[in-house]
Amino acid sequence: MAERSFANEVGKLRLGEGEEFRGEGILAVTKALLQSGVSYVAGYQGAPISHLMDVLTDANDILAELGVHFEHSASEATATATLAASVNYPLRGAVTFKSTVGTNVASDALANLASGGVTGGALLIVGEDYGEGSSIMQERSHAFAMKSQVWLLDPRPNLESMVRAVEQGFELSEASNTPVMLQLRIRACHVHGRFKTRANKRPGYTLKDAIENPERDVNRIVLPPASYLHEQEKIAKRWPAAVRYIVDHGLNEFFAADARDVGIVMQGGMYNGVLRALELLGLADPFGRSQIPLYVLNVTYPLVDEEFVRFCAGKRSILIVEEGQPDYIEQAVHAILRRADLNTRVHGKDVLPMAGEYTGGVLLKGLAEYLRRYEPALLDGRPLPRAARSAAPARMPDNPKAFAIQRAADQVQGRPPSFCTGCPERPIFTAIKLVERELGRHHISCDIGCHLFSVLPPFNLGATTMGYGLGWAGASALNTRETSRRTISIMGDGGFWHNGLTSGVGNAVFNETDNVLLVVDNGYSAATGGQDVLSSKAENPIRSTNNPIEKAVRGVGVKWVRTVTRTYSVAQMRDTLREALTTPEKGPKVVVAQSECMLNKQRRVKPLMRKMIGEGKRVVRERFGVDPDTCTGDHSCIRLSGCPSLTIRDNPDPLRTDPVAAVVDSCVGCGLCGEVSHAAVLCPSFYRAEIINNPSAWDKFRARIRKAVIGALQRRIDRRLEGLAA
């Protein structure tokens, strides 16, 4: 159950010749694939490209009508290897995944694919997750394109350019027998716009044709001596063919190329930001008319020498807007211009940051600095935005109120990312904290996924993370008989099926580890948007689910396995982990901790509850609260749970100053706060309440009895207190 359904929007994929599409970027990319006659699509979900997998899933009927095969791949390497179908057959194939973590995983398959080359068009659509909104290491896809000589497209972030990039990407791939990588930043994936559609196209050569008429070309297989010839073919044939196609079809774009003797060269994905900065400087309008010459690289690899020479001829200088590091494009341009004996000055990372996302403010400041050096008259007399003005020494504001606000802001701590309200993973880490109170601290190897939030407060657990599914592999070196203390490794169900079963579990069995793996089984690939995995409990009409993780680990040789079917039972989680860490039994130990991802559960349950309430049916919802008269104010519940619905309030007792714990309305009734209190022997201040919509006559009768009894007891207490006061 993905976090968002596109069941309504996918109808736009049926638009025909000359109709107008209006919608989101990812949906437009899907339409472009169908217009291009794609034969098969595969991929692995990951921000910001997860929605493409979700759209394809919801559009499965449309794909079937066109004879397009679609599947969820086990990993990014699996997805890329799928493009092998385009090596010998004129089949257009596309795969998608998140970069750069996904490109790292796919790099071996990508290198082999690029070495032998392709016959049909092969397109890799990668979500370029770089910058301040990223959840991964800060790297770029550009290095992979250069390493394997895969052509890299970075289209302007508007629907027309992105659709054209998909269509031309297939053509470029076929013209040069080379895979093409199309990178889409998060803003491109979610940009809205419109374009004129073309009719969807059934593949002229089908998968059935390929299967029934098998072909092979030994020169396309990466095996000596053919592999030595592949490198020569890349330089002598494929590269020149790609450059010819780029030039002949105008994939890169020029705007106001001869307007001035300075210019700006940019990655296509930076176009909107650059144009907006120029507009704020009064040098462009909202419709793209610029007073500064622009050279937009919709293809960032390979670069086209003749286009650079033509653009730079007669110009004093150019500014290269290249987000991220290293400055691959800037270095290459220096070489291009020197070979052409052009003296155009090249600026880039000297006025723009070497690393980090080029946000609107960053671009505005950098462009203003560049123009101040070379075209100061353009900025003279203009009211410039603050970010574009020359830097002034920082000082505190003169206004006393502003001064106080600044002082307060300086003291506010950054809010770290954390688990959602009711997340079933939180009690797992509470249990680990409780076990460590008894047994001492353990080395904990983490993995990629929601559970990585455990490294932050309030849990502060975990020492390393090495990659998706590599949680147990990250503790491999600590497999020693010199100590009785065991390490703990953590892995999610998504990471387990992606890579962990072989790289983690199989490796541990083979090397006879005596350490512990904790598999967080929340029922979905939750961190990437709630997509189903092999062990999901949900029934999936087009995929096989309900394959237990316990059965899989036993299948590769693990003998000590325990499954906890309700992670919210903190006491059971604590006892199971204690057993795993202290049992005299040797060999790898696996604990599978199961409970459904609360976000997905709420997406599933809330619409059903609203429907039932609207139909007048009885619906019971659970909520938890804290009795302020009982709460001691030590806040252990918050430290051991960290639930966002737990907060503090003023103590109602005038003789006590410590604020008491409180539960806010975001509570989803998971019950963890009460479980923590009992398992950690904290306090009895938590209570459970039932909110009943459309109560029955019996519910109303019980409510009246309770109200009468509680009211009588409360009045009795009040009379006693009045007597004591007298």
Side-chain angles (χ1 to χ4, degrees):
M1 181 182 183
E3 67 180 33
R4 180 184 168 191
S5 170
F6 288 86
N8 294 326
E9 289 96 327
V10 294
K12 298 176 183 179
L13 300 179
R14 298 184 185 276
L15 292 174
E17 193 73 34
E19 295 187 79
E20 185 176 73
F21 173 100
R22 291 174 180 248
E24 193 180 35
I26 285 296
L27 201 64
V29 168
T30 312
K31 174 60 175 163
L33 290 172
L34 302 183
Q35 292 179 174
S36 301
V38 69
S39 296
Y40 61 95
V41 188
Y44 192 86
Q45 58 274 353
I49 209 72
S50 296
H51 283 9
L52 182 51
M53 299 296 292
D54 299 337
V55 168
L56 289 165
T57 300
D58 288 335
N60 193 65
D61 291 344
I62 299 174
L63 301 182
E65 291 170 12
L66 293 169
V68 179
H69 174 68
F70 164 61
E71 65 178 50
H72 291 78
S73 304
S75 71
E76 297 86 354
T78 305
T80 305
T82 305
L83 291 172
S86 296
V87 170
N88 292 306
Y89 307 103
L91 295 167
R92 287 188 169 182
V95 299
T96 183
F97 44 78
K98 172 192 183 82
S99 186
T100 56
V101 286
T103 321
N104 286 334
V105 174
S107 60
D108 194 19
L110 182 59
N112 280 276
L113 181 73
S115 182
V118 294
T119 301
L123 189 66
L124 300 103
I125 305 172
V126 299
E128 187 74 349
D129 196 11
Y130 179 89
E132 63 183 16
S134 172
S135 62
I136 58 165
M137 74 291 290
Q138 293 297 274
E139 294 183 355
R140 298 166 56 193
S141 302
H142 201 104
F144 291 94
M146 294 173 64
K147 176 187 76 68
S148 298
Q149 291 204 350
V150 172
W151 315 140
L152 181 62
L153 306 186
D154 187 2
R156 290 193 291 142
N158 64 66
L159 265 52
E160 287 185 347
S161 296
M162 290 157 57
V163 167
R164 182 170 183 256
V166 171
E167 296 172 340
Q168 294 291 339
F170 283 119
E171 299 282 352
L172 174 60
S173 175
E174 291 165 351
S176 60
N177 302 117
T178 303
V180 170
M181 188 181 297
L182 169 62
Q183 69 172 43
L184 298 173
R185 294 172 173 80
I186 188 167
R187 289 175 178 81
C189 291
H190 300 301
V191 71
H192 282 250
R194 58 189 179 181
F195 69 94
K196 292 293 183 183
T197 61
R198 295 192 299 112
N200 294 335
K201 186 189 302 182
R202 289 184 63 88
Y205 187 90
T206 67
L207 295 170
K208 179 176 180 290
D209 294 330
I211 294 169
E212 295 179 353
N213 300 280
E215 295 182 17
R216 63 188 295 269
D217 180 355
V218 71
N219 292 320
R220 287 280 165 262
I221 300 173
V222 186
L223 182 73
S227 53
Y228 308 137
L229 299 177
H230 294 166
E231 184 180 24
Q232 300 300 321
E233 183 180 302
K234 286 179 179 180
I235 300 302
K237 177 184 174 185
R238 299 187 209 168
W239 187 301
V243 169
R244 281 197 305 274
Y245 188 91
I246 294 166
V247 173
D248 292 346
H249 292 80
L251 299 192
N252 296 321
E253 297 174 283
F254 298 86
F255 299 94
D258 301 318
R260 295 187 179 275
D261 61 356
V262 298
I264 302 173
V265 180
M266 72 203 75
Q267 298 161 301
M270 293 286 98
Y271 175 81
N272 287 4
V274 170
L275 202 69
R276 176 60 175 158
L278 290 174
E279 182 186 350
L280 291 172
L281 294 172
L283 300 175
D285 66 21
F287 303 101
R289 290 183 285 266
S290 171
Q291 298 178 34
I292 306 296
L294 305 178
Y295 176 25
V296 181
L297 298 173
N298 293 314
V299 183
T300 54
Y301 186 82
L303 299 178
V304 180
D305 292 25
E306 65 181 84
E307 289 187 348
F308 269 98
V309 171
R310 185 171 77 246
F311 183 74
C312 294
K315 287 186 171 57
R316 288 178 293 148
S317 74
I318 59 170
L319 172 66
I320 296 180
V321 180
E322 177 183 9
E323 186 178 60
Q325 54 81 36
D327 50 349
Y328 299 116
I329 297 175
E330 188 174 338
Q331 293 181 37
V333 171
H334 276 290
I336 291 171
L337 298 185
R338 295 298 79 79
R339 282 197 296 266
D341 199 25
L342 288 177
N343 295 320
T344 305
R345 295 290 302 273
V346 177
H347 294 275
K349 299 297 185 183
D350 53 340
V351 296
L352 288 163
M354 185 67 186
E357 184 176 359
Y358 283 2
T359 60
V362 168
L363 288 170
L364 183 60
K365 184 177 180 180
L367 266 62
E369 173 62 25
Y370 171 73
L371 293 171
R372 199 173 284 116
R373 293 186 191 183
Y374 285 93
E375 292 283 358
L378 291 177
L379 303 181
D380 288 347
R382 292 182 183 274
L384 300 180
R386 180 175 299 177
R389 299 172 197 164
S390 298
R395 63 184 182 88
M396 294 297 287
D398 297 325
N399 184 294
K401 185 176 180 179
F403 181 85
I405 293 172
Q406 184 67 51
R407 285 282 302 274
D410 291 342
Q411 296 177 38
V412 174
Q413 297 297 311
R415 178 176 176 267
S418 185
F419 299 100
C420 302
T421 301
C423 176
E425 301 187 18
R426 187 178 285 108
I428 296 171
F429 302 106
T430 298
I432 293 176
K433 296 285 283 187
L434 295 175
V435 168
E436 288 195 333
R437 282 185 179 182
E438 303 174 35
L439 305 180
R441 294 176 60 203
H442 292 72
H443 175 85
I444 298 178
S445 174
C446 298
D447 208 306
I448 302 298
C450 300
H451 41 278
L452 195 56
F453 293 145
S454 63
V455 305
L456 301 170
F459 301 110
N460 301 302
L461 297 169
T464 56
T465 178
M466 289 292 106
Y468 201 33
L470 296 176
W472 213 357
S476 297
L478 304 179
N479 178 25
T480 176
R481 300 291 188 269
E482 296 179 3
T483 177
S484 60
R485 178 159 295 193
R486 290 166 177 150
T487 63
I488 302 173
S489 299
I490 300 169
M491 190 186 300
D493 46 357
F496 175 86
W497 293 114
H498 175 276
N499 189 27
L501 180 59
T502 52
S503 298
V505 181
N507 181 71
V509 171
F510 184 70
N511 288 290
E512 299 182 332
T513 185
D514 191 38
N515 293 316
V516 178
L517 170 66
L518 174 61
V519 181
V520 180
D521 182 6
N522 60 24
Y524 307 90
S525 186
T528 63
Q531 293 82 9
D532 286 337
V533 293
L534 273 163
S535 51
S536 294
K537 295 290 194 299
E539 293 294 334
N540 190 313
I542 61 172
R543 300 288 179 261
S544 173
T545 53
N546 282 289
N547 298 285
I549 289 175
E550 179 171 339
K551 183 182 285 189
V553 299
R554 289 190 185 278
V556 295
V558 179
K559 296 179 173 58
W560 195 103
V561 188
R562 302 287 185 273
T563 297
V564 178
T565 56
R566 184 175 179 274
T567 63
Y568 296 104
S569 176
V570 177
Q572 185 183 3
M573 280 300 316
R574 176 199 60 197
D575 296 345
T576 305
L577 286 167
R578 184 197 298 118
E579 181 187 359
L581 292 167
T582 58
T583 178
E585 185 176 336
K586 299 298 180 184
K589 281 155 277 290
V590 176
V591 177
V592 182
Q594 295 179 334
S595 273
E596 184 179 10
C597 166
M598 184 56 72
L599 274 181
N600 269 54
K601 182 177 180 180
Q602 292 300 313
R603 294 186 189 111
R604 179 171 55 82
V605 170
K606 280 185 175 180
L608 296 176
M609 295 182 77
R610 284 195 297 268
K611 183 173 183 286
M612 291 174 66
I613 292 171
E615 294 172 349
K617 296 179 181 177
R618 181 178 182 270
V619 174
V620 181
R621 292 173 292 147
E622 289 188 347
R623 290 292 183 271
F624 285 78
V626 176
D627 181 357
D629 294 321
T630 309
C631 178
T632 63
D634 70 348
H635 308 146
S636 294
C637 53
I638 295 175
R639 291 195 299 274
L640 282 168
S641 169
C643 179
S645 65
L646 277 174
T647 185
I648 56 174
R649 286 181 181 161
D650 290 337
N651 201 310
D653 189 338
L655 300 179
R656 294 160 57 195
T657 58
D658 291 334
V660 296
V663 180
V664 298
D665 290 341
S666 62
C667 172
V668 295
C670 71
L672 174 60
C673 46
E675 292 277 357
V676 168
S677 300
H678 296 302
V681 195
L682 297 176
C683 68
S685 59
F686 285 92
Y687 63 83
R688 181 176 64 86
E690 290 183 348
I691 302 172
I692 303 177
N693 292 89
N694 303 319
S696 65
W698 174 244
D699 292 325
K700 294 175 181 178
F701 174 74
R702 286 193 305 170
R704 287 195 296 270
I705 296 297
R706 287 170 178 163
K707 184 177 181 180
V709 172
I710 293 172
L713 293 173
Q714 188 63 54
R715 287 191 295 272
R716 180 181 175 186
I717 293 172
D718 291 341
R719 287 194 298 270
R720 185 187 305 166
L721 292 175
E722 289 172 2
L724 291 174

